[in-house]
Amino acid sequence: MSRVDNPAVDNPAVDNPASGALDGLLDPAPSPGAPRIRGLRRLRAWPWSLRVGLFGVLAVVLVLLATPWSAPFDPALQDLSNRLAPPSGAHWLGTDQLGRDVLSRLMWGGRFSVTIAAITLTISAVFGTLLGIVCARSKGALDEFVMRVSDVLLAFPEMIVAMFLVSILGAGYGTLILALAVAGWTPFARLARALALEINSRDFIEAAESLGFSRTFIILRHLLPNAFSPLLAHASVRFGHTLITVGALSFLGLGVAPPDSDWGSMLADGLPYMSRAAGLVIYPGLAIFLTALAVTLTGRGINVRPRRQGRG
């Protein structure tokens, strides 16, 4: 057979595939938009609750962070000649009983409410989680004592415990945070203890103990990472509850002191004027509801495994 009859004999791409002559055919270069397409597909794989919740949380955070520059008026500025005015071009949500701009007070009040709830939840989560994990590892007198104390605290509604402490220590930011933290650490301690007891029974914990690793190393390296996702989801659900509790205490006059205000105190101030200006109650109540809903949806979506994409 001649070389003309069989042209593949001297074809370097066939004789030596490693030469690189077929690189363009065997492994085509990805298009510039491929990473963006893969990113959009991963985003679509997220649960709808996580996407909606993250969008809401991001919107609330951006609005509250931009409040010092975007609020149209000073929240304490009074205009008694313009009391209980309806929404207008100057005051988008109207004015309250003292002529103060409702939108500005809503934005500034949200900073107080969300900040207090976030700080309280962080203290409760960190303290309760570490205490619960330590109790699960010790399994001794400390475990028994902490669980009995949590039983006593859980026997009373969290609102009652917080009201009792605030009434004794006095109203204020620090007192409110301390009271809510004391009343709110027990659910985290019990959940962390239950998760730690389940993780302690796994083989890698026994292997770490047999290798002589310290208790602190096992907690930080194995227990906390494996319990982080359920605890984070629980914390997001608890955030809404904490935000509502902060608003309820302020509604009862046990929260921030005037001239500062938060969403709960705005509800209390607007309640006598609800028949004339219902927005004074609707707007702060809606802000509490939507913020709590966004964070709760985010937490519920965290533990939902994304749908796997099929190969196409």
Side-chain angles (χ1 to χ4, degrees), residues 18 23 30 74 80 86 101 114 132 153 161 173 188 190:
D23 286 350
D74 183 345
L80 297 179
D101 183 67
V114 174
L153 290 176
V161 177
Y173 296 114
F188 290 99
R190 286 188 166 273

Side-chain angles (χ1 to χ4, degrees), residues 109-301:
R111 288 172 65 91
F112 291 117
S113 296
V114 174
T115 300
I116 291 174
I119 294 176
T120 300
L121 186 68
T122 301
I123 296 174
S124 301
V126 172
F127 177 76
T129 297
L130 293 178
L131 188 59
I133 290 178
V134 170
C135 290
R137 292 293 300 171
S138 62
K139 298 180 182 179
L142 176 64
D143 182 28
E144 186 69 20
F145 174 76
V146 171
M147 289 301 103
R148 298 297 74 80
V149 171
S150 67
D151 289 339
V152 172
L153 290 176
L154 289 174
F156 300 94
E158 183 177 331
M159 184 72 178
I160 300 299
V161 177
M163 288 176 59
F164 175 75
L165 294 175
V166 171
S167 62
I168 292 178
L169 301 176
Y173 296 114
T175 303
L176 189 60
I177 291 173
L178 177 62
L180 292 174
V182 170
W185 64 268
T186 50
F188 290 99
R190 286 188 166 273
L191 178 60
R193 178 179 179 273
L195 292 172
L197 288 175
E198 192 274 331
I199 297 171
N200 278 334
S201 62
R202 298 183 184 178
D203 295 336
F204 60 86
I205 298 293
E206 296 180 1
E209 291 175 343
S210 63
L211 291 174
F213 289 112
S214 65
R215 179 183 300 178
T216 304
F217 177 84
I218 293 175
I219 290 175
L220 296 178
R221 181 64 178 83
H222 297 292
L223 292 180
L224 280 177
N226 283 280
F228 179 76
S229 183
L231 287 169
L232 181 61
H234 180 68
S236 65
V237 176
R238 291 286 304 176
F239 178 85
H241 178 76
T242 304
L243 184 63
I244 294 173
T245 305
V246 171
L249 290 174
S250 296
F251 182 85
L252 297 174
L254 300 176
V256 298
D260 295 331
S261 65
D262 63 355
W263 289 336
S265 61
M266 290 182 65
L267 280 169
D269 293 341
L271 191 61
Y273 307 94
M274 188 173 179
S275 59
R276 295 179 56 188
L280 297 180
V281 175
I282 293 176
Y283 298 140
L286 194 61
I288 294 174
F289 169 74
L290 292 178
T291 304
L293 179 63
V295 180
T296 301
L297 288 176
T298 302
R300 291 190 178 276

Side-chain angles (χ1 to χ4, degrees), residues 43-54 293 297 301 304 307:
L43 181 61
R44 292 197 195 109
W46 288 4
W48 69 268
S49 58
L50 183 57
R51 284 179 282 171
V52 174
L54 283 176
L293 179 63
L297 288 176
V304 178
R307 300 185 300 272

